[in-house]
Amino acid sequence: MIASIIGSGVAGLSSSIHLAKKGYSVHVFEKNATYGGKLSQIQLENYRFDAGPSLFTMPQYVTEMLDQEHLDKFEFEKLEILCNYFFTDGTTFNAPSNKESFLSLASDTFQEPENQIRKFLKKSEKTYEITAPVFLQSSLHKLKTYLSKTGIYGILNLWRIDMFRTMNSAISYTFKNKNLIQIFNRYATYNGSDPFRAPATLNVIPHLEYHYGAFLPKEGMQSIAKILYEQALSLGVTFHFNSEVRSIYKSDNQLTHIELPNKKLFKSDIFIANCDAKLVYKKLLRTHVPQKIKKAENSSSALIFYWGIKKEFPELDVHNIFFTEDYKQEFNSIFQAKNCQNDPTIYINITSKKIKVDAPEGCENWFVMINTPCNEGQDWDRFRAEAKEKIISKLSKTLGCDIASLIEVEEYLDPVRIEQFTGSNKGSLYGSSSNHRMSAFFRQANFSSIYKNLYFCGGSVHPGGGIPLCLLSAKILSDIIPNANSRK
Ligand SMILES: Cc1cc2nc3c(=O)[nH]c(=O)nc-3n(C[C@H](O)[C@H](O)[C@H](O)COP(=O)(O)OP(=O)(O)OC[C@H]3O[C@@H](n4cnc5c(N)ncnc54)[C@H](O)[C@@H]3O)c2cc1C
């Protein structure tokens, strides 16, 4: 039985492992010259940068797929500091990953009762317990999910998951301090959403960091893709790089072949799309995108500068945030006005803080990112030039030195490049946003209801974007697909 996977993003790689273990002869077709998709890296002279994801949570979803040999090769460390926050009123806060230390320091810094913050995280934990088995770990589109013990428990407890107010209203109701509210609102950006519109159910995200922790692989984020690739190879998976799938052929309600460059056809028994689901319908199947998927709002995109900086900043850590004064205005710019806003929140990731070889001695590799709208045809050259000026001015002011003069090497990624490089619809980072309380139901299911042998995984489908959820999409898909020897 042959399984063809279109795309070698993190979900495509993990699907290939699951299906090889189920006895399929697996072929992965990737349009780029290498694997990883958004999870890739850039080398600029002596600086190495992770190009996309920088925050690694729930590593167990990676390690559970590895055999002992690969497990031994994949090293990662738990970060003691989750993030250094810089606020416009001059407050700074280095968030410890240890929950008790966080509670005590946050209570002192933000003048909020420790117990109130503890209660907030407790609720976050409870929401995770209720939602994860149904909304994250199972197919939302199979009856058996709702008839299982955890499914019934989830449904009976839906009233407890805070679906009917926004993240920001729940957080602002709980806390008075503007800075602490901003820290918790920021978790909406972990899946490209807007805390002023997304349901308070998303307040589940802080639990993942404060309970399970944040991690950094010893060889950078890209090594997550590398270890999955090596595991897949060891299971006999065949990779075809520089092999863009141009079209999928069908006969009645079955897919039959994929078309590759030079009109080469490849026949398979099952097909797994790891590329963006909207692209599968529009470009590969040349059919209409199902209405509910079409309607789903894209997640945010990003503008990233990769800067080699010839100086070290002891006040910075691996993850750093320089907040805007007006968070609501920033999210309006991203999701409504879809333009470049005046005072963007800036995120800086510096892996060389832990991985010394990522930058020359005395220097740092800065991944400087702002959230942006998706590509709707804006003038991105102008957007980038304006944003760069604002970023440099804000960082220079906050860090008390001229950042522009410290930049040795530079590269950038914007929504257009993200779209070109990964095929992501309009350059969205996480597929569709979770801005609507029914968002989970607007995502493409992990299987097609039209074509019997078509399945989906990756950030644009259930359960959503981000590395852990992409890995879960592959796991759900493999639960649905029968073993090769039991398939007729
Ligand atoms: C800048 C940025 C920052 C992020 N930060 C984080 C973070 O900190 N933590 C986190 O967990 N997540 C983060 N994410 C999101 C995370 O990277 C994605 O959700 C995840 O990597 C998507 O994986 P995927 O399996 O959906 O595939 P993708 O990475 O989207 O890859 C899809 C692959 O399919 C290939 N492809 C497309 N069309 C075709 C075709 N026709 N034929 C063959 N191949 C094709 C593409 O070339 C690509 O390799 C970030 C993303 C970006 C871009």
Side-chain angles (χ1 to χ4, degrees):
M1 283 274 161
I2 298 176
S4 279
I5 301 181
I6 308 168
S8 66
V10 67
L13 291 168
S14 48
S15 297
S16 76
I17 295 172
H18 287 300
L19 292 182
K21 287 179 181 171
K22 291 187 98 135
Y24 287 87
S25 163
V26 184
H27 291 258
V28 180
F29 296 89
E30 168 57 57
K31 75 177 176 63
N32 293 335
T34 190
Y35 55 84
K38 297 186 179 79
L39 200 45
S40 61
Q41 64 181 358
I42 296 175
Q43 187 75 38
L44 294 178
E45 296 176 15
N46 291 328
Y47 293 90
R48 189 202 70 87
F49 302 85
D50 283 310
S54 54
L55 178 71
F56 183 31
T57 52
M58 312 296 267
Q60 64 272 30
Y61 294 144
V62 176
T63 53
E64 69 187 13
M65 273 184 293
L66 305 179
D67 60 23
Q68 197 56 49
E69 184 196 336
H70 293 88
L71 210 47
D72 292 343
K73 282 207 272 182
F74 183 58
E75 291 181 70
F76 52 93
E77 77 171 286
K78 186 169 179 182
L79 300 177
E80 279 172 23
I81 297 293
L82 289 179
C83 188
N84 283 5
Y85 292 103
F86 296 80
F87 299 91
T88 49
D89 63 5
T91 308
T92 57
F93 178 66
N94 301 346
S97 61
N98 177 286
K99 201 194 285 183
E100 289 308 314
S101 312
F102 169 77
L103 289 171
S104 135
L105 192 65
S107 170
D108 283 354
T109 311
F110 304 115
Q111 298 299 300
E112 293 277 2
E114 189 172 316
N115 211 30
Q116 191 74 352
I117 312 175
R118 189 186 298 280
K119 263 170 57 189
F120 181 78
L121 290 182
K122 194 78 207 154
K123 183 160 169 57
S124 177
E125 180 179 349
K126 192 75 212 164
T127 308
Y128 181 74
E129 268 173 35
I130 297 168
T131 51
V134 183
F135 288 93
L136 302 181
Q137 294 160 356
S138 314
S139 170
L140 275 183
H141 309 84
K142 293 275 181 195
L143 190 60
K144 76 172 193 201
T145 301
Y146 303 96
L147 299 179
S148 67
K149 214 168 129 190
T150 48
I152 293 168
Y153 174 75
I155 291 162
L156 292 177
N157 283 281
L158 271 183
W159 60 276
R160 298 171 77 176
I161 67 168
D162 229 350
M163 277 169 78
F164 296 100
R165 54 181 177 164
T166 65
M167 279 181 87
N168 176 65
S169 17
I171 297 166
S172 309
Y173 181 79
T174 314
F175 304 113
K176 291 190 189 65
N177 185 283
K178 183 173 162 278
N179 293 344
L180 186 60
I181 292 171
Q182 208 164 17
I183 286 185
F184 283 125
N185 269 335
R186 181 185 160 242
Y187 284 97
T189 66
Y190 280 31
N191 67 7
S193 302
D194 172 354
F196 298 90
R197 291 164 63 215
T201 314
L202 258 67
N203 285 328
V204 66
I205 302 173
H207 170 65
L208 303 184
E209 270 196 350
Y210 288 101
H211 183 74
Y212 295 100
F215 302 83
L216 180 66
K218 286 257 159 78
E219 292 177 22
M221 295 295 286
Q222 205 270 342
S223 65
I224 300 171
K226 184 165 173 254
I227 201 72
L228 294 176
Y229 171 68
E230 289 174 359
Q231 178 69 78
L233 281 181
S234 78
L235 291 166
V237 173
T238 307
F239 286 84
H240 307 258
F241 294 116
N242 300 308
S243 298
E244 178 172 2
V245 174
R246 300 276 165 83
S247 183
I248 310 182
Y249 288 67
K250 50 202 184 241
S251 165
D252 300 326
N253 63 348
Q254 289 266 16
L255 304 184
T256 56
H257 299 79
I258 51 175
E259 187 189 310
L260 297 161
N262 302 323
K263 300 223 174 285
K264 240 173 91 186
L265 296 182
F266 191 89
K267 192 171 185 294
S268 300
D269 299 290
I270 62 169
F271 297 81
I272 292 96
N274 171 222
C275 47
D276 196 287
K278 283 180 186 157
L279 181 127
V280 174
Y281 288 105
K282 275 196 294 202
K283 207 172 136 193
L284 304 186
L285 289 167
R286 298 200 180 88
T287 177
H288 66 276
V289 181
Q291 205 51 29
K292 68 169 190 172
I293 295 165
K294 202 166 158 183
K295 264 188 4 209
E297 182 186 23
N298 279 318
S299 81
S300 53
S301 186
L303 170 65
I304 302 120
F305 292 103
Y306 308 91
W307 288 339
I309 295 280
K310 52 183 180 193
K311 182 173 157 46
E312 286 182 302
F313 287 80
E315 64 272 54
L316 300 181
D317 208 284
V318 175
H319 301 287
N320 310 275
I321 284 284
F322 296 76
F323 273 120
T324 176
E325 171 67 25
D326 188 347
Y327 223 10
K328 188 159 180 24
Q329 155 66 27
E330 177 166 8
F331 285 101
N332 281 343
S333 282
I334 296 170
F335 288 101
Q336 264 91 48
K338 299 182 192 286
N339 59 16
C340 179
Q341 76 119 15
N342 260 337
D343 170 31
T345 295
I346 303 166
Y347 166 67
I348 307 184
N349 172 239
I350 312 174
T351 58
S352 64
K353 292 281 181 195
K354 299 278 180 201
I355 309 169
K356 292 296 167 204
V357 291
D358 282 356
E361 213 182 320
C363 304
E364 295 181 339
N365 64 339
W366 284 20
F367 163 111
V368 182
M369 172 174 139
I370 61 168
N371 291 310
T372 70
C374 280
N375 179 24
E376 303 283 353
Q378 295 93 326
D379 180 349
W380 289 105
D381 288 341
R382 204 172 119 200
F383 192 116
R384 192 173 69 253
E386 285 177 14
K388 184 175 171 182
E389 211 179 298
K390 288 167 190 163
I391 292 170
I392 287 182
S393 149
K394 183 171 171 131
L395 293 179
S396 300
K397 195 169 144 211
T398 315
L399 295 171
C401 65
D402 175 25
I403 297 298
S405 65
L406 299 174
I407 303 173
E408 282 201 305
V409 289
E410 178 183 83
E411 188 46 277
Y412 76 89
L413 195 62
D414 66 5
V416 175
R417 286 189 169 185
I418 294 171
E419 185 169 17
Q420 283 165 352
F421 181 64
T422 70
S424 176
N425 185 43
K426 299 186 177 184
S428 76
L429 303 191
Y430 300 94
S432 56
S433 77
S434 293
N435 287 341
H436 192 280
R437 80 172 71 98
M438 298 304 282
S439 293
F441 296 93
F442 296 157
R443 289 196 181 94
Q444 169 66 48
N446 304 100
F447 59 94
S448 165
S449 47
I450 306 166
Y451 304 105
K452 279 197 329 205
N453 55 348
L454 171 62
Y455 302 88
F456 295 86
C457 63
S460 69
V461 308
H462 177 70
I467 297 169
L469 299 198
C470 287
L471 294 170
L472 283 175
S473 74
K475 210 168 157 181
I476 297 171
L477 165 151
S478 101
D479 287 345
I480 296 171
I481 297 177
N483 286 335
N485 58 15
S486 62
R487 205 181 168 97
K488 284 190 221 111

